[in-house]
Amino acid sequence: MVYATMKISFLIHNAYGIGGTITTTFNLAGALAERHDVEIVSALRHREHPHLVLDPRVRLRALVDLRKEADHPLHRRPAKVFPSAEYRHRQYSELTDQRIGECLEALDTDVVIGTRPGLNVHIAQQAPQRVLRVGQEHLTLDNHPPGLRTALRRAYRRLDVITTVTEADAAAYRRKMWLPGVHVEALPNSVPDPALPPADGTAKIVIAAGRLVPVKRYDLLIEAFAQVAAAFPDWQLRIYGKGEEQPRLRELIERLRLWNHVLLMGAATPMEAEWAKGSIGAAASDFEPFGMTIVEAMRCGLPVVSTDCPYGPGEIIEDGADGRLVPVSDADALASALLELVGDDERRRRMGRTALENARRFAPGPVVAQAERLLEEARTARSTGPRTATAAAHRTNSALIGRSHAARDAAHAAATGALRAIRKGRR
């Protein structure tokens, strides 16, 4: 189905950095620009050009340029609109409150899409009623502190749509948040169609990629790969990325005497050419809201061995068909799954072909089609008025559950605030 052309604005934290939210926003914006008028508004900016390549059809503008305005008097005062319990709160200020508010008030657009909780709150409170207001969740509801969930409950009722990246998180929003009239739907991240031929499964290389931070558990992956290297010394693990864990990981490689088997490759953008050099993808996270690198690897023809952590991997990988899912924090299980694929050439190549086919659902085409349908339905719902009686009955049935979660979060947030006040008074 072909939908009417729309003007769409994305509001993002900092489009000039590196990260999964920036990547997926650039991907979706570029794909939507095939038929729509699209812009990305970056709340902050710290460099001349973005790290990532943006489709030239997508306009990009920034609201606060930290190269020139880091010392602005208003930027030294804490933000009042951006919620204090949000992870990025310290990077926001009265200046960002002012600039974001002015930007939203002046928007000449049909749809505005926020890309993190604090910005979704801005949209809910400050975007004009005439604009369709969409809040994207790139983490998970359960990962947010109770104080933030309480703030989101108050603000999110003014949104039209909330999208999550997994069905599990969408279910959590519906069950726990009690947002009558707000449509909640899972919209996965998309990965562009590869420009290079897929991997053929012959290279003796396992590849992992992402930020080198504790939650990604590269230490577990290295420990597991020690077993692989012992049985198949001609295989190699390449880890792409940068971050705080790099010195510790290098020390672990030294201690396990894996100098020739495990390589810290640094960051690579884009990663497609690197995935294509491998035969197996690997992920060992304790927690993964989606799993962008898993999809990237599969789209390049690699089966992926991953921990079955909340929430994303289990909705991306079909265990035994296009990859393997293993228990979280289990180095032996991770090693065993890797050894299954390393030691069986035919199985590895067959699963790689299946991965390539199954990952097509994350191509821009299907994801954009879903996004267009979602936005068009939201616009129609606005014009037709209240939801159906069935939907109203469902909201009534879920209200008590949602309110109980709200009460627990509010009590926890209040107790946390009181404890902070006591500690502050003792200083």
Side-chain angles (χ1 to χ4, degrees):
M1 182 177 291
V2 177
Y3 299 107
T5 301
M6 292 178 279
K7 286 186 175 181
I8 302 171
S9 297
F10 288 87
L11 180 59
I12 195 169
H13 168 63
N14 188 339
Y16 298 81
I18 297 176
T21 299
I22 303 168
T23 300
T24 192
T25 300
F26 278 28
N27 288 348
L28 181 57
L32 285 168
E34 289 277 354
R35 294 199 332 100
H36 303 281
D37 184 351
V38 184
E39 71 166 351
I40 294 176
V41 180
S42 183
L44 302 175
R45 176 181 187 173
H46 70 288
R47 67 198 308 268
E48 183 65 23
H49 301 291
H51 278 286
L52 305 180
V53 177
L54 180 62
D55 190 304
R57 296 169 297 185
V58 178
R59 299 184 305 281
L60 174 63
R61 59 187 172 110
L63 302 180
V64 175
D65 191 334
L66 297 175
R67 298 171 301 171
K68 306 171 184 175
E69 299 179 294
D71 294 325
H72 192 291
L74 290 180
H75 198 54
R76 295 171 183 238
R77 301 177 187 172
K80 296 178 180 178
V81 179
F82 196 95
S84 60
E86 223 267 37
Y87 168 67
R88 297 282 188 182
H89 180 259
R90 290 187 178 182
Q91 294 176 259
Y92 285 76
S93 63
E94 284 192 13
L95 182 62
T96 59
D97 280 355
Q98 180 185 93
R99 297 277 175 84
I100 294 171
E102 291 170 351
C103 167
L104 292 172
E105 184 180 358
L107 276 181
D108 176 23
T109 194
D110 300 303
V111 183
V112 60
I113 302 174
T115 54
R116 65 175 306 111
L119 297 179
N120 296 340
V121 168
H122 271 281
I123 288 171
Q125 294 184 357
Q126 297 174 318
Q129 181 63 31
R130 67 178 184 277
V131 177
L132 194 70
R133 293 162 291 188
V134 179
Q136 288 185 341
E137 175 62 86
H138 288 281
L139 294 175
T140 68
L141 178 63
D142 289 342
N143 194 49
H144 296 323
L148 179 57
R149 290 197 295 263
T150 297
L152 299 185
R153 279 190 186 91
R154 290 194 295 264
Y156 276 14
R157 294 177 188 181
R158 302 178 188 177
L159 295 175
D160 296 283
V161 176
I162 294 171
T163 67
T164 63
V165 289
T166 62
E167 292 290 348
D169 198 37
Y173 265 92
R174 297 186 195 106
R175 186 174 67 255
K176 298 179 179 181
M177 289 294 276
W178 191 54
L179 300 170
V182 181
H183 181 71
V184 179
E185 185 170 325
L187 180 69
N189 294 333
S190 71
V191 173
D193 298 324
L196 299 174
D200 61 10
T202 60
K204 297 180 179 182
I205 299 171
V206 177
I207 294 182
R211 293 174 299 123
L212 305 186
V213 293
V215 72
K216 299 295 186 180
R217 293 306 308 273
Y218 290 110
D219 59 330
L220 188 79
L221 179 57
I222 292 169
E223 290 169 4
F225 195 79
Q227 298 183 41
V228 177
F232 295 89
D234 51 347
W235 275 74
Q236 188 179 82
L237 169 63
R238 297 181 181 179
I239 299 174
Y240 291 85
K242 60 182 180 179
E244 65 193 70
E245 284 283 278
Q246 183 169 331
R248 194 169 78 90
L249 297 177
R250 195 172 299 283
E251 180 183 335
L252 178 60
I253 293 167
E254 294 281 338
R255 178 157 48 86
L256 296 177
R257 305 177 69 85
L258 293 172
W259 315 285
N260 298 323
H261 300 288
V262 179
L263 302 179
L264 300 181
M265 306 293 292
T269 304
M271 265 295 296
E272 182 184 331
E274 308 310 319
W275 291 120
K277 295 173 185 175
S279 289
I280 301 170
S285 299
D286 286 339
F287 171 77
E288 195 66 72
F290 180 66
M292 196 73 167
T293 60
I294 295 174
V295 177
E296 289 177 356
M298 292 173 66
R299 294 226 68 199
C300 290
L302 275 63
V304 178
V305 176
S306 173
T307 48
D308 191 13
C309 62
Y311 281 82
E315 293 190 17
I316 299 171
I317 296 170
E318 183 181 347
D319 189 30
D322 52 24
R324 289 298 319 279
L325 294 168
V326 301
V328 174
S329 298
D330 190 333
D332 289 338
L334 188 59
S336 178
L338 287 169
L339 284 166
E340 284 179 25
L341 299 187
V342 167
D344 190 333
D345 293 349
E346 177 50 37
R347 185 180 188 192
R348 181 174 70 249
R349 292 168 191 165
R350 182 177 67 252
M351 291 177 73
R353 293 190 293 270
T354 305
L356 188 66
E357 181 61 32
N358 288 354
R360 294 188 197 280
R361 69 189 190 276
F362 299 107
V367 174
V368 167
Q370 182 186 350
E372 288 183 313
R373 188 262 308 156
L374 180 61
L375 295 177
E376 189 61 36
E377 287 179 356
R379 291 211 300 182
T380 301
R382 272 199 169 195
S383 62
T384 56
R387 269 54 168 185
T388 64
T390 302
H394 175 74
R395 291 200 304 274
T396 301
N397 291 335
S398 63
L400 289 177
I401 298 173
R403 282 173 172 166
S404 68
H405 284 286
R408 283 199 295 271
D409 284 343
H412 191 287
T416 301
L419 184 59
R420 285 176 182 161
I422 292 170
R423 287 173 175 168
K424 189 175 181 180
R426 289 175 178 171
R427 290 175 185 172

